[in-house]
Amino acid sequence: MATLSETSRIEAFSDGVFAIAITLLILEIKIPASGAVPLSTQLARQWPSYISFVISFAFIGIMWINHHRLFSHIKRADNLLLIFNLLLLLGVTAVPFPTAVLAAHLGGPDQRAAAMLFSGTYFFIAIFFNVLWRYACSNGHHLLAAHADYAAADRISRQYAFGPLLYLICFALAWVSVTASLVMNLLLAIFFALPPDSKSK
Amino acid sequence: MATLSETSRIEAFSDGVFAIAITLLILEIKIPASGAVPLSTQLARQWPSYISFVISFAFIGIMWINHHRLFSHIKRADNLLLIFNLLLLLGVTAVPFPTAVLAAHLGGPDQRAAAMLFSGTYFFIAIFFNVLWRYACSNGHHLLAAHADYAAADRISRQYAFGPLLYLICFALAWVSVTASLVMNLLLAIFFALPPDSKSK
Amino acid sequence: MATLSETSRIEAFSDGVFAIAITLLILEIKIPASGAVPLSTQLARQWPSYISFVISFAFIGIMWINHHRLFSHIKRADNLLLIFNLLLLLGVTAVPFPTAVLAAHLGGPDQRAAAMLFSGTYFFIAIFFNVLWRYACSNGHHLLAAHADYAAADRISRQYAFGPLLYLICFALAWVSVTASLVMNLLLAIFFALPPDSKSK
Amino acid sequence: MATLSETSRIEAFSDGVFAIAITLLILEIKIPASGAVPLSTQLARQWPSYISFVISFAFIGIMWINHHRLFSHIKRADNLLLIFNLLLLLGVTAVPFPTAVLAAHLGGPDQRAAAMLFSGTYFFIAIFFNVLWRYACSNGHHLLAAHADYAAADRISRQYAFGPLLYLICFALAWVSVTASLVMNLLLAIFFALPPDSKSK
């Protein structure tokens, strides 16, 4: 029989990881040095860094909102849930790397490879979100709260089911157009920021 | 109908972000290497780094006190509150960047641009604080605790209303005098560190 | 008489340390610059960094699961427990260093020394886990919950007893074969990720 | 009248700051590159980095134990307590800087200045600990728990009273002998790790 425990420490640990990952993003922006070029010009030239900072912040923030939403339903934990949660956090902590690569190469000759790495990361994260959630809902929602709103849980399942496929399209789209791929990434972020059933909001 | 949830995880996540942002500041101070110049002289020459470390620490600390004060009233959360809180944290995590730019250029030819970037950041943060708080108080204080002290909440609203305008003046003042702008920044920090109604303190 | 206190703040502090250590790992991966070599080739050449990132993430994650498991039994704290917990966290926070050394030297002429440093770190961590746990169980399980499952606690004791010896073999094995030592490290991680009594899972 | 609030969010925020400060220390240790000198020799030459890592870890850990001990008595907070706690955390987050300076200069011609910076930091932290604690105990222990053990609180007051003077001696001692000053630092750390009344342990 599975040993079930409370989820409060999982949430605390995950909150810590999300908080750190989202706060480290600013370290990727370089401090312009004094020189021949005025500071204001140097600051203006760093636009790819600002864009990737804001995008990554939004993405990690939205992932945190989703994690928060899942764990408002999940109330029990077993060993596999701990491991699936770690797998998801592996994806979250990795985000600063593809973000920095994108910031360094956006507008340059290698921007296609950078955009594919970026979308590819979110493809894996979308899979990990599905694995975590589907496991918690499996066997008659065995890890959800006793009084869980199963209809709300099923709406989350339906919304998440599209995630991996949509990020795979994003990934392929980067081969055709980096701009189109990044715009689609942003639209997906907004889609997942919204609660699964907009009528209930 | 809005799905309302408890605010404890929002506070935990926000505490994490504030704690990390305030702790990362020390990393901006460079470690002097051995060389011809004695260590004590090298340490003394780094005064702009120490000033911007202490100022930023005070500012993030005071923002944390304010966040703490708001969430002693806010007791329910919906999706928009989550997003407005993330927007505020976006401003908080960005603080190390304008701070480091100011530390690198204070006393140099580009100090005016650096001071404007610095004040500009706090202008946006002041707006985000207002948006978060006004949303929580809207519709008859719908996200405040059932037993909230509405008079205290209204005092916060009145104090915050001045924030964006005052920081805009700070921003413009940097064009005239960098020193005056930084002094006004410090005075504003003290103003917002104090509780809205000093008689109740 | 020992002054006993609750363990919730120890868990919160430890969760913070684990969360930060696991999130900092990504900073060890370098961002490839634009240049003659295509980005995709540069990314592919960084495979030792990715391997050591995933291994270290898994190890810190599994150590967190173990810490979580121990503190689901430990419910009281005294000064010595605080100090033994700090000693364990000293090992945990040190992990990014041997990991980065391994990433920098894997496949190079110094990989044997790097692998020995890596296994040696886990040898000390295994000892610290044993010290913490055995102290909590000593004097008739004096720091465990009043209603603790002593049979489960004893299963943990038996599983942990092998840790230091097994990591010592790992350490010695690195002298013979770096690959064999790393494979054994991975197998040990899986062994400690599993709950002590697989029948109860 | 003072607005009093619970201390749980202060503890959570402080735990975050302590956890991050203690985890960032490892980043100060440089990763040796491949080269003419064998890795094992390079690792051995970094002994000042290891010493200052372990010392700083122990110091931050012991400061956390002390903070934990104080807040097992302090149960109410007002605005001044928030500010005194921030002042203490300012000292804690600053610790990685004097530590890194000491690691870079220990054994070199500038080690005296480095050791004085190191002891000087702890002198200020000792003052901030006293200010926080004496304020909480002032006006008839007005911020302590209603059921606080006043005898235990007074023992803490007596132990802390010596702190600033002892660290001042440490600071002056560095002018005479760096080694003696660092040894005295270590002894003081052990003195403050112990509970104020060893008989009650």
Side-chain angles (χ1 to χ4, degrees):
Chain A
M1 207 194 82
T3 317
L4 295 176
S5 61
E6 295 302 307
T7 58
S8 59
R9 248 194 103 179
I10 301 176
E11 292 174 44
F13 176 71
S14 304
D15 280 352
V17 169
F18 278 106
I20 298 150
I22 213 169
T23 313
L24 289 179
L25 295 171
I26 197 71
L27 298 184
E28 305 287 353
I29 305 187
K30 293 204 180 60
I31 313 302
S34 298
V37 184
L39 176 61
S40 52
T41 312
Q42 290 190 67
L43 289 172
R45 277 185 194 157
Q46 290 191 325
W47 63 267
S49 290
Y50 307 142
I51 290 182
S52 60
F53 168 70
V54 171
I55 289 183
S56 294
F57 191 97
F59 279 30
I60 295 183
I62 289 165
M63 290 192 287
W64 177 76
I65 290 179
N66 275 275
H67 195 268
H68 182 254
R69 199 176 285 153
L70 298 193
F71 277 86
S72 70
H73 296 289
I74 302 172
K75 288 295 166 218
R76 282 172 292 183
D78 59 12
N79 279 287
L80 262 175
L81 190 86
L82 287 183
I83 286 166
F84 291 150
N85 190 57
L86 277 175
L87 217 57
L88 176 59
L89 295 179
L90 175 75
V92 172
T93 63
V95 162
F97 177 66
T99 302
V101 171
L102 188 67
H105 294 278
L106 194 61
D110 277 324
Q111 65 172 350
R112 190 194 280 172
M116 292 177 83
L117 176 70
F118 189 80
S119 294
T121 307
Y122 286 105
F123 168 66
F124 279 105
I125 291 174
I127 289 177
F128 297 153
F129 259 117
N130 271 282
V131 168
L132 175 73
W133 179 242
R134 270 159 213 289
Y135 177 68
C137 291
S138 64
N139 294 325
H141 306 91
H142 75 298
L143 296 179
L144 302 198
H147 57 282
D149 178 351
Y150 292 153
D154 289 350
R155 284 194 298 268
I156 292 177
S157 299
R158 279 197 298 275
Q159 185 189 32
Y160 278 24
F162 296 105
L165 181 66
L166 289 168
Y167 278 108
L168 199 60
I169 294 172
C170 250
F171 175 81
L173 200 57
W175 187 260
V176 183
S177 159
V178 166
T179 311
S181 174
L182 291 182
V183 168
M184 184 170 168
N185 255 301
L186 269 176
L187 295 177
L188 284 179
I190 295 168
F191 172 66
F192 284 108
L194 296 175
D197 182 3
S198 54
K199 278 169 295 183
S200 76
K201 186 172 156 273
Chain B
M1 208 193 80
T3 316
L4 296 176
S5 61
E6 294 302 308
T7 58
S8 58
R9 249 195 102 179
I10 301 176
E11 292 175 43
F13 176 71
S14 304
D15 280 352
V17 169
F18 278 105
I20 298 149
I22 214 168
T23 315
L24 288 180
L25 296 171
I26 196 72
L27 299 185
E28 306 287 354
I29 305 186
K30 292 204 180 59
I31 313 302
S34 298
V37 184
L39 176 61
S40 52
T41 312
Q42 290 190 67
L43 288 173
R45 278 185 194 156
Q46 290 192 325
W47 63 267
S49 291
Y50 308 142
I51 289 182
S52 60
F53 168 69
V54 172
I55 290 182
S56 294
F57 192 97
F59 280 29
I60 296 183
I62 289 165
M63 291 192 286
W64 178 77
I65 290 179
N66 275 275
H67 194 269
H68 182 253
R69 199 177 283 153
L70 298 193
F71 278 86
S72 69
H73 296 289
I74 301 173
K75 287 295 166 218
R76 283 171 292 183
D78 59 11
N79 279 288
L80 263 175
L81 190 85
L82 288 183
I83 287 166
F84 291 149
N85 190 55
L86 277 175
L87 217 56
L88 176 59
L89 295 180
L90 175 74
V92 172
T93 64
V95 162
F97 177 65
T99 303
V101 170
L102 187 67
H105 294 278
L106 194 61
D110 278 323
Q111 66 172 350
R112 189 195 281 172
M116 292 177 82
L117 176 71
F118 189 79
S119 293
T121 306
Y122 287 105
F123 167 67
F124 279 105
I125 292 174
I127 290 178
F128 296 153
F129 258 116
N130 270 282
V131 168
L132 175 73
W133 178 243
R134 271 159 212 288
Y135 177 68
C137 291
S138 64
N139 295 324
H141 306 91
H142 75 298
L143 296 179
L144 302 199
H147 57 282
D149 178 351
Y150 291 153
D154 289 350
R155 283 195 298 268
I156 292 177
S157 299
R158 278 197 300 275
Q159 184 190 34
Y160 277 24
F162 295 106
L165 181 65
L166 290 168
Y167 278 109
L168 199 60
I169 294 172
C170 250
F171 175 80
L173 199 58
W175 187 261
V176 183
S177 159
V178 166
T179 311
S181 175
L182 292 182
V183 168
M184 182 169 169
N185 256 301
L186 270 176
L187 294 177
L188 284 178
I190 295 167
F191 172 65
F192 285 109
L194 296 175
D197 183 3
S198 55
K199 279 169 295 184
S200 76
K201 187 171 156 272
Chain C
M1 208 195 80
T3 316
L4 295 176
S5 62
E6 293 303 306
T7 59
S8 58
R9 248 193 104 180
I10 301 176
E11 292 176 43
F13 176 71
S14 305
D15 280 352
V17 168
F18 278 106
I20 297 149
I22 213 168
T23 314
L24 289 179
L25 295 171
I26 196 72
L27 299 184
E28 305 288 354
I29 305 187
K30 293 205 178 59
I31 313 301
S34 298
V37 183
L39 176 61
S40 51
T41 312
Q42 291 189 68
L43 288 172
R45 277 184 194 159
Q46 290 191 324
W47 65 267
S49 291
Y50 308 141
I51 289 182
S52 60
F53 168 69
V54 172
I55 289 183
S56 294
F57 191 97
F59 279 30
I60 295 183
I62 289 165
M63 289 192 288
W64 177 76
I65 291 179
N66 275 275
H67 194 270
H68 182 253
R69 199 176 285 153
L70 297 192
F71 278 86
S72 69
H73 296 289
I74 301 173
K75 288 296 165 216
R76 282 172 292 184
D78 59 12
N79 279 288
L80 263 175
L81 190 87
L82 288 184
I83 286 166
F84 290 149
N85 190 56
L86 278 175
L87 216 56
L88 176 59
L89 295 179
L90 175 75
V92 172
T93 64
V95 162
F97 177 66
T99 302
V101 170
L102 187 67
H105 294 277
L106 194 60
D110 278 323
Q111 65 172 351
R112 189 195 281 171
M116 291 177 84
L117 176 70
F118 189 80
S119 294
T121 307
Y122 287 105
F123 167 66
F124 280 104
I125 292 174
I127 290 177
F128 296 154
F129 259 116
N130 271 282
V131 168
L132 174 73
W133 179 242
R134 272 159 212 288
Y135 177 68
C137 291
S138 64
N139 294 324
H141 305 91
H142 74 299
L143 297 178
L144 302 198
H147 57 282
D149 178 351
Y150 292 153
D154 289 351
R155 282 196 297 269
I156 293 178
S157 299
R158 278 197 299 276
Q159 185 190 33
Y160 278 24
F162 296 106
L165 181 67
L166 290 169
Y167 278 109
L168 198 61
I169 294 172
C170 251
F171 175 80
L173 200 57
W175 188 261
V176 184
S177 158
V178 167
T179 310
S181 174
L182 292 181
V183 168
M184 185 172 167
N185 256 301
L186 270 175
L187 294 177
L188 284 179
I190 295 168
F191 172 66
F192 285 109
L194 295 176
D197 182 4
S198 54
K199 278 170 295 183
S200 76
K201 187 171 155 272
Chain D
M1 208 194 80
T3 315
L4 295 175
S5 61
E6 293 302 308
T7 58
S8 59
R9 249 194 103 179
I10 301 176
E11 292 175 43
F13 176 71
S14 304
D15 279 351
V17 168
F18 279 106
I20 298 149
I22 213 169
T23 314
L24 289 179
L25 295 171
I26 196 71
L27 299 185
E28 306 288 353
I29 304 187
K30 293 204 179 60
I31 313 301
S34 298
V37 184
L39 176 61
S40 51
T41 311
Q42 292 190 66
L43 288 173
R45 278 185 194 157
Q46 291 191 324
W47 63 268
S49 292
Y50 308 141
I51 289 182
S52 59
F53 168 69
V54 171
I55 289 183
S56 295
F57 192 98
F59 279 30
I60 296 183
I62 289 165
M63 290 192 288
W64 177 77
I65 291 179
N66 275 276
H67 194 269
H68 182 253
R69 200 176 283 155
L70 298 192
F71 278 86
S72 70
H73 297 289
I74 302 174
K75 287 297 165 215
R76 282 172 292 184
D78 58 12
N79 278 288
L80 263 175
L81 190 86
L82 288 183
I83 286 166
F84 291 149
N85 190 56
L86 277 175
L87 218 56
L88 175 59
L89 295 180
L90 175 74
V92 173
T93 64
V95 163
F97 177 66
T99 302
V101 170
L102 187 67
H105 294 277
L106 195 60
D110 279 322
Q111 65 172 350
R112 188 194 281 172
M116 292 177 82
L117 176 71
F118 190 80
S119 293
T121 306
Y122 286 105
F123 168 65
F124 280 106
I125 292 174
I127 290 177
F128 297 154
F129 258 116
N130 270 283
V131 168
L132 175 73
W133 179 242
R134 273 160 210 287
Y135 177 67
C137 290
S138 63
N139 295 324
H141 305 92
H142 75 298
L143 297 179
L144 301 199
H147 57 283
D149 178 352
Y150 292 153
D154 290 350
R155 282 195 298 269
I156 292 177
S157 299
R158 278 197 299 276
Q159 184 189 35
Y160 277 25
F162 296 106
L165 180 66
L166 290 168
Y167 278 109
L168 199 61
I169 294 172
C170 250
F171 175 80
L173 199 58
W175 187 260
V176 184
S177 158
V178 166
T179 310
S181 175
L182 292 181
V183 168
M184 184 171 167
N185 255 302
L186 270 176
L187 294 176
L188 284 178
I190 294 167
F191 172 66
F192 285 109
L194 295 176
D197 183 4
S198 54
K199 278 169 294 183
S200 76
K201 185 172 158 272

